Amino acid sequence: MYDYAFVHLKFTIPLAVLLTAIAYPVLNRIHVIQTGCLIFIAFTAALPWDAYLIEQKVWSYPPEAIVGPRLLGIPFEELFFFVIQTYITALVYILFNKPVLHALHLNNQRNPPAWMRVAKITGQLLLVALSVWGWKAAQVNQETTYLGLILVWACPFLLAIWTLAGRFILSLPWFATVLPVFLPTFYLWAVDELALHRGTWSIGSGTKLEFCLFGKLDIEEATFFLVTNMLIVSGMAVFDQYLAVIYAFPTLFPKVNRYPTPLMLVQSRLVNTAKYDLERIEGLREAVERLRLKSRSFYLANSLFSGRLRIDLILLYSFCRLADDLVDDAKSRLEVLSWTAKLNHFLDLHYGDSDATEDPKQKAKRIDAYIKEAFPPFAYQALHLLPTQILPPKPLYELIQGFEMDSQFTFHGNSDSTDLKYPIADDKDLKTYAIRVAGTVGELCIALIIHHCLPDMSDSQKRRLESASCRMGIALQYVNIARDILVDARIGRVYLPTTWLKEEGLTHKIVLDNPEGPEVIERMRRRLLDNAFELYREARPEMQRIPSEARGPMIGAVENYMEIGRVLREKKEGTVFVRKEGRATVPKQRRLRTLLRALYEQ
């Protein structure tokens, strides 16, 4: 009795609820709109086709297996299947595509490799052939009626999607397309086989090939679920392609609201690919690779952001990392001062007083010329793509000061050194250093978030958020210093204030020679952590004011880093992993739990 309703209650609805719970922390309004549009299209497209199959006795349902109400002869349970299958597959697609930065895959739209051209044309010819065969099979051969009706209905839609986005789909990682198709397909095959075995629905004899893939699952049913999931996944990919165009090219779409409008999606479809700035895409690819190699934690956290905010955060990190490396890799104090002067001049060209009548394009050319003249080729993209029009200048200048302050450790005592003391003499110097190298980054991130998510935020709220982000940056830097006492000592650096060392009867040399030895060093580590957590407790409530789209990822990243501090405080066996370079880190499962807890709490 009511078997079809129980199929949903036992199999489709629980899976949908589970996937919703898993995806909930990363879902945003764009995902909701994207999925809702696809459900509407799927429902509208399937309704007349399904009604025709029931009318032709291809599908039938025992009266006792359904609740009763119908639309165009289709049981309500079947109508619900249109919705729930699309929803399930869309969620699987969203989860597997969250780590993917779709903008990176736009370069193949203009200059695709030869294999991609061949694959697209081959796919188009195959879909045309299957459409024609399906048309003939549905009309002529009774045993192929059902299979023919599936192909003649689905293949024209797939052909249209493949024509629009075939290259983009081919360029995506396999896990972003193949898995979202096949995982729901395998599950629905199992559900379908069970329902056919129980007689919940049946396929009319004489309209099928009488070949089963396994058990009672007819090849036609297997084909139906495969092609419909291909339609759903490729439909989501089309949507993501046009969103990627909007987010990737600020020259084509200078102003993007919190959520792109349908008109913008249409405009992105109509943009000639010749206008795509492929140099920007390559620069973004370099920035992502720099992020992946230099910061595992931020690389993971960045995938939780969306839209142009995600791209600008990557570009900001790329600049910070590049500037740090230029200064850090210098061979002398004079070279350090040369790089910091060049970086400061680069900022001056952007932010300094300039002729108000100067054409913006001419200014951009002048800045580009300076980058090419003053910096090595590998630095060009990181400098060129920095979104200076959004970022406030003060934190950027202070960041350069922080890198210069760091360099004093490397050249302490060298003949070309102009500073004969360790730069962190007392608590004030420690705080100044942390503000410059970490507090500034927090302020810059908040500036990007406000610009992209809530540009009309009041000035008072902005100031509170900026202050809180700076304090949180200081807290994270204190944790970083506490974690890396051993690692820093190996490269001749001691970030513990000189006054702290004197209080404990230590010198820099003692710490450098035996950073793991004296118990007093552990006391100073705890002192650093106490300061870090005090700042954390002050700033953490203010982070709730971050706009909702970015709040979860930002708090998740912060909590994951502060978990290192918690682990250092615990010092329990099994909670601290010491890697080869001597750095304490948090077990992966604990990091994941911390991140998920932070996301779900938001």
Side-chain angles (χ1 to χ4, degrees):
M1 192 70 172
Y2 304 147
D3 273 2
Y4 202 164
F6 281 109
V7 166
H8 288 307
L9 290 172
K10 290 180 180 178
F11 300 109
T12 62
I13 293 175
L15 178 60
V17 170
L18 176 62
L19 289 171
T20 303
I22 294 171
Y24 183 76
V26 299
L27 291 177
N28 56 43
R29 189 177 173 187
I30 288 291
H31 293 136
V32 174
I33 295 171
Q34 190 176 7
T35 305
C37 289
L38 211 58
I39 288 173
F40 175 78
I41 294 169
F43 188 91
T44 305
L47 191 64
W49 180 79
D50 204 321
Y52 180 77
L53 262 67
I54 292 173
E55 182 184 342
Q56 297 300 313
K57 310 298 183 187
V58 176
W59 280 347
S60 61
Y61 309 89
E64 67 276 7
I66 59 176
V67 175
R70 292 175 181 253
L71 176 65
L72 300 179
I74 307 172
F76 272 26
E77 296 92 334
E78 180 75 3
L79 297 171
F80 183 70
F81 215 119
F82 301 163
V83 174
I84 200 73
Q85 180 189 348
T86 307
Y87 181 74
I88 287 170
T89 304
L91 282 181
V92 175
Y93 173 89
I94 289 168
L95 286 169
F96 279 100
N97 275 266
K98 201 70 188 81
V100 179
L101 184 60
H102 292 111
L104 296 181
H105 302 279
L106 292 174
N107 57 334
N108 291 320
Q109 303 308 298
R110 196 166 83 192
N111 299 314
W115 73 266
M116 193 173 287
R117 292 194 189 95
V118 172
K120 182 176 180 180
I121 294 172
T122 303
Q124 288 172 319
L125 293 174
L126 178 61
L127 290 168
V128 169
L130 289 173
S131 299
V132 172
W133 185 89
W135 175 261
K136 293 180 178 180
Q139 294 187 31
V140 178
N141 192 334
Q142 288 292 315
E143 291 183 351
T144 59
T145 297
Y146 185 17
L147 185 59
L149 286 170
I150 293 171
L151 296 178
V152 78
W153 168 72
C155 288
F157 286 113
L158 282 171
L159 177 60
I161 292 172
W162 190 251
T163 300
L164 291 172
R167 292 173 184 169
F168 180 74
I169 293 170
L170 286 169
S171 68
L172 292 175
W174 69 272
F175 65 80
T177 52
V178 176
L179 289 182
V181 169
F182 280 97
L183 290 181
T185 297
F186 292 155
Y187 182 81
L188 293 173
W189 279 355
V191 173
D192 193 28
E193 195 279 334
L194 180 64
L196 287 167
H197 184 77
R198 290 175 58 86
T200 305
W201 54 75
S202 60
I203 304 171
S205 59
T207 65
K208 59 181 181 177
L209 296 172
E210 301 294 346
F211 174 78
C212 294
L213 188 63
F214 64 87
K216 292 283 187 178
L217 182 66
D218 296 287
I219 190 65
E220 292 86 355
E221 285 286 273
T223 302
F224 170 78
F225 284 114
L226 177 61
V227 298
T228 49
N229 282 327
M230 289 172 66
L231 282 167
I232 296 165
V233 167
S234 57
M236 297 286 283
V238 169
F239 201 102
D240 279 338
Q241 177 184 345
Y242 299 144
L243 280 174
V245 173
I246 293 170
Y247 294 140
F249 304 123
T251 54
L252 298 177
F253 297 91
K255 185 177 181 180
V256 179
N257 297 326
R258 296 177 78 172
Y259 307 106
T261 63
L263 177 60
M264 294 181 74
L265 289 171
V266 174
Q267 290 172 332
S268 68
R269 168 67 189 94
L270 298 176
V271 169
N272 191 321
T273 56
K275 294 183 178 180
Y276 288 5
D277 184 355
L278 298 188
E279 187 179 0
R280 178 178 171 83
I281 298 300
E282 286 307 308
L284 182 57
R285 192 183 306 280
E286 286 181 19
V288 170
E289 185 63 11
R290 185 174 284 121
L291 174 62
R292 185 185 68 84
L293 293 174
K294 299 288 187 176
S295 177
R296 293 183 307 161
S297 57
F298 191 65
Y299 181 73
L300 173 64
N302 180 264
S303 66
L304 298 173
F305 292 95
S306 300
R308 195 170 285 176
L309 171 61
R310 179 180 181 182
I311 291 174
D312 281 345
L313 286 169
I314 292 171
L315 298 178
L316 171 62
Y317 178 87
S318 181
F319 168 80
C320 295
R321 188 75 264 169
L322 171 83
D324 188 21
D325 287 346
L326 287 173
V327 175
D328 218 30
D329 295 341
K331 302 299 186 223
S332 68
R333 179 70 177 162
L334 290 176
E335 188 179 351
V336 167
L337 296 176
S338 173
W339 284 127
T340 54
K342 289 176 180 179
L343 288 166
N344 281 321
H345 186 61
F346 164 76
L347 295 177
D348 289 341
L349 291 175
H350 278 287
Y351 296 110
D353 294 334
S354 59
D355 186 355
T357 63
E358 184 180 16
D359 180 56
K361 291 183 180 180
Q362 290 301 318
K363 180 180 178 180
K365 287 182 180 179
R366 186 160 53 85
I367 295 173
D368 270 9
Y370 175 73
I371 295 172
K372 292 174 180 177
E373 174 193 340
F375 295 91
F378 66 81
Y380 174 76
Q381 294 290 3
L383 296 166
H384 172 69
L385 295 179
L386 180 68
T388 51
Q389 71 279 8
I390 303 172
L391 297 168
K394 185 172 178 288
L396 288 169
Y397 282 105
E398 289 184 346
L399 184 65
I400 305 304
Q401 288 180 310
F403 296 150
E404 190 275 330
M405 192 174 179
D406 241 341
S407 73
Q408 294 180 39
F409 286 105
T410 304
F411 302 107
H412 173 65
N414 283 15
S415 58
D416 62 344
S417 173
T418 58
D419 196 331
L420 300 179
K421 65 176 183 178
Y422 284 89
I424 301 179
D426 51 29
D427 291 77
K428 182 181 177 182
D429 288 338
L430 177 64
K431 185 177 180 181
T432 298
Y433 171 74
I435 289 173
R436 288 175 176 175
V437 299
T440 54
V441 177
E443 290 184 64
L444 292 166
C445 288
I446 286 297
L448 291 176
I449 289 170
I450 292 172
H451 174 83
H452 288 296
C453 300
L454 201 60
D456 56 350
M457 179 182 285
S458 69
D459 290 340
S460 60
Q461 273 194 307
K462 285 181 185 178
R463 285 192 294 271
R464 291 179 67 174
L465 261 183
E466 288 165 357
S467 174
S469 63
C470 182
R471 279 176 287 157
M472 190 62 80
I474 297 170
L476 298 183
Q477 186 61 28
Y478 285 176
V479 170
N480 187 63
I481 293 171
R483 180 193 65 178
D484 291 345
I485 291 175
L486 171 60
V487 177
D488 292 329
R490 287 176 177 171
I491 58 174
R493 298 185 178 189
V494 179
Y495 289 93
L496 299 170
T498 304
T499 53
W500 291 16
L501 298 178
K502 289 181 178 178
E503 288 171 11
E504 300 289 352
L506 297 178
T507 64
H508 294 102
K509 187 176 186 308
I510 293 174
V511 176
L512 293 174
D513 291 343
N514 190 15
E516 290 186 293
E519 172 62 25
V520 290
I521 293 180
E522 190 58 39
R523 284 204 299 270
M524 285 187 282
R525 188 198 308 274
R526 288 195 293 269
R527 183 174 173 181
L528 264 175
L529 292 173
D530 288 343
N531 290 347
F533 277 95
E534 182 180 351
L535 288 165
Y536 164 82
R537 284 189 293 271
E538 291 174 5
R540 180 64 176 79
E542 290 296 325
M543 293 188 72
Q544 295 301 129
R545 299 176 182 273
I546 295 174
S548 58
E549 301 96 307
R551 188 187 310 133
M554 279 294 288
I555 291 177
V558 165
E559 291 296 342
N560 236 338
Y561 213 89
M562 291 304 296
E563 198 68 12
I564 297 171
R566 296 184 184 101
V567 164
L568 287 169
R569 275 180 154 185
E570 291 168 7
K571 280 287 186 177
K572 293 178 182 177
E573 186 178 354
T575 60
V576 177
F577 284 6
V578 179
R579 294 157 56 193
K580 289 182 180 179
E581 60 267 34
R583 220 172 236 158
T585 186
V586 182
K588 288 182 180 178
Q589 289 186 345
R590 179 163 173 173
R591 285 206 309 267
L592 182 60
R593 285 198 306 270
T594 301
L595 179 62
L596 290 176
R597 183 170 64 248
L599 290 173
Y600 278 105
E601 284 176 356
Q602 304 314 309

